[in-house]
Amino acid sequence: MTTPPPVPPDTDAAAFMTALRDLKVWSGLSYRQLERRAARAGHVLPHSTVATMLGRDRLPREELVALFVAACGMRADEAQVWLDARVSIAYGRPAEAAPTTKRGGRSWRPHQVLAGAAVALTTVLLAGVAGVGVLTDEVEVVQPPTSLLVPRS
């Protein structure tokens, strides 16, 4: 009989990270094996990123949690439990109550909206800077007059 996978707590980030470490141990996979498993599924999950993530007590990004738990062998419904616990910790309330915004028929969480706005603002700023020529190579080089001749006395 195999042991069941660890259950993610939704209490705090440190407990969640301890459970993620336990999940890696439960999977029996090395960091490189997790990387290869993710690659076979068409995803990028560098072993160094996983090692760094598990070495901290901070909450990782949702995408990283999703890739990691899938690489550890969690089914979609089991992975969703981990994501819901992460959202609950991040927002301090159950995942169902996490704020969302409807745009284009899709629900967006606040951090997704902010990330999109940041990308849009950066694009506009770079376009404006390029438009006024700040980032171009059109620089006028002025050389001061110099003389190699020394006047004779």
Side-chain angles (χ1 to χ4, degrees), residues 30-84:
S30 69
Y31 293 119
R32 291 196 188 269
Q33 289 171 320
L34 290 168
E35 179 179 28
R36 286 191 291 270
R37 223 181 215 204
R40 281 193 300 270
H43 301 290
V44 177
L45 183 64
H47 66 276
S48 58
T49 301
V50 175
T52 301
M53 173 188 77
L54 294 179
R56 296 180 177 163
D57 278 338
R58 287 196 326 245
L59 219 47
R61 295 182 333 268
E62 278 183 78
E63 299 82 12
L64 185 55
V65 172
L67 289 173
F68 175 75
V69 298
C72 284
M74 299 286 99
R75 295 183 317 263
D77 58 329
E78 294 170 323
Q80 191 58 52
V81 171
W82 284 88
L83 293 174
D84 290 345

